[in-house]
Amino acid sequence: MSIRPISRATKGQKTLEGAGVHLSRAFGFGDPKELDPFLLLDDFRNDDPAKYEKGFPWHPHRGIETITYVLAGDVEHGDSLGNRGVLGAGDVQWMTAGRGIMHQEMPKGDAMGRMHGFQLWANLPAAEKMTAPRYQDVKSADIPEVTDDDGAKARIVCGEFWGKRGPVDGIAANPRYVDISMPPNLTKTFKVEVDRHAFAYIFAGKGDFAYASKPFGVLVEKEIAGEEMHLRDMSGDRTLVVFDRGDEVSVKAGPEGVRFLLVSGKPIREPVAWHGPIVMNTRAELTQAVTELKNGTFIKS
């Protein structure tokens, strides 16, 4: 067994998307090879309705899958195929855009004004980029939750973990998407096959993901806003941890415990031509998609 060392750990960057939604971007629009098949992860947790209520009006997608996981509040969604629905706390929507869809997502806060959740983008291989769009809407009650003997908990959205399989299926990259909670000061390892790219995203408490290799305090990631930031300072909320090669991830929870997403998938290893919500393999395919958007032929029957 080999513990995966940390390749990098970074704080999310604040940005605006949609009609003015304030969010934190954990990764996206960088080198698509680093976390192939995953392209982008946005954290849209916010407690101020003015910073999210304008939402994400009608916009296109092609060539990717979007995975929306809601923690608090509701997201009303609709699309050009006539689908309508509401995602509530704990629900997941795995949308395969395929050959093209127009889509909107309008967040509504809960009674306390909270709108919390994440959206992950996964690439599709060339052979599936022009397939028919489809949705997998999963209610919270249908997501298996497992509690280990040491108190660690896992909600399994996709893939197999601790002997249970998540309800989302038929995904090209065979991803694993798990929401893990660990009690204070617990040290634990999680299997991640060596042929997968993997990352963790911390959203509550603190954890040391280099516990079995190098402690956070001896590593420096990079300069952010002109100051060097040590990984020990970035081991809490809104921290992305990207892992190097190995077949296990080791975590030591902090004194408050830790909760994080653990996501892995098999790389597609194909060329990427990317413009906003459209991801194809060549510039010619990308140009064709943009042309179809302009002339009204983007949506295929």
Side-chain angles (χ1 to χ4, degrees):
M1 300 294 180
S2 59
I3 299 296
R4 287 183 176 234
I6 291 173
S7 174
R8 67 180 177 95
T10 52
K11 284 286 191 180
Q13 300 297 300
K14 293 180 180 179
T15 188
L16 290 176
E17 280 294 350
V21 177
H22 295 246
L23 52 81
S24 177
R25 178 154 293 155
F27 66 90
F29 299 100
D31 181 0
K33 293 189 295 294
E34 182 189 36
L35 283 169
D36 177 18
F38 307 110
L39 299 164
L40 175 147
L41 176 63
D42 281 345
D43 178 342
F44 55 83
R45 288 177 294 155
N46 208 303
D47 298 336
D48 180 358
K51 293 185 176 180
Y52 62 73
E53 61 187 0
K54 292 182 180 178
F56 305 90
W58 294 101
H59 56 280
H61 287 290
R62 178 179 284 180
I64 64 172
E65 298 180 289
T66 66
I67 303 95
T68 306
Y69 181 25
V70 178
L71 300 178
D74 294 329
V75 177
E76 296 180 358
H77 65 88
D79 66 42
S80 53
L81 303 177
N83 297 303
R84 298 288 186 275
V86 177
L87 298 176
D91 295 349
V92 171
Q93 181 188 84
W94 200 297
M95 183 189 78
T96 303
R99 62 193 176 213
I101 198 166
M102 298 295 293
H103 182 70
Q104 71 169 356
E105 298 145 308
M106 305 304 290
K108 308 290 183 184
D110 63 11
M112 292 180 284
R114 301 176 304 169
M115 183 68 251
H116 293 185
F118 312 100
Q119 187 169 92
L120 175 68
W121 290 10
N123 199 6
L124 282 170
E128 298 188 26
K129 283 195 178 292
M130 296 301 286
T131 56
R134 71 169 180 146
Y135 283 91
Q136 296 184 67
D137 285 342
V138 181
K139 293 299 182 183
S140 179
D142 296 326
I143 297 175
E145 185 170 306
V146 182
T147 302
D148 208 356
D149 293 340
D150 54 19
K153 297 180 180 179
R155 299 192 80 224
I156 306 155
V157 173
C158 184
E160 189 169 341
F161 192 81
W162 286 357
K164 296 286 186 178
R165 178 166 289 277
V168 177
D169 61 9
I171 307 301
N174 190 26
R176 184 177 294 125
Y177 188 119
V178 186
D179 173 357
I180 296 175
S181 301
M182 290 172 54
N185 304 312
L186 176 67
T187 299
K188 200 167 183 65
T189 58
F190 304 96
K191 281 192 170 297
V192 180
E193 290 84 345
V194 71
D195 61 346
R196 292 170 172 262
H197 284 156
F199 69 86
Y201 184 73
I202 305 169
F203 61 98
K206 291 186 177 181
D208 188 346
F209 287 77
Y211 183 67
S213 49
K214 296 180 180 178
F216 277 117
V218 302
L219 297 174
V220 175
E221 164 57 21
K222 64 178 181 179
E223 290 188 359
I224 300 177
E227 298 180 2
E228 287 186 340
M229 296 185 68
H230 293 268
L231 295 183
R232 184 177 295 278
D233 299 327
M234 299 194 294
S235 58
D237 187 29
R238 301 181 195 272
T239 301
L240 172 75
V241 180
V242 178
F243 298 105
D244 210 329
R245 301 281 292 206
D247 57 15
E248 289 186 328
V249 169
S250 177
V251 188
K252 180 179 181 180
E256 312 160 18
V258 67
R259 186 177 178 187
F260 58 95
L261 304 178
L262 181 60
V263 182
S264 66
K266 293 183 179 180
I268 295 172
R269 294 191 175 94
E270 292 179 351
V272 172
W274 185 358
H275 179 72
I278 301 172
V279 183
M280 304 303 290
N281 294 103
T282 68
R283 296 299 299 180
E285 292 169 338
L286 197 59
T287 300
Q288 179 182 347
V290 173
T291 299
E292 290 176 359
L293 272 173
K294 292 177 179 178
N295 65 24
T297 61
F298 184 79
I299 302 302
K300 312 296 183 185
S301 58

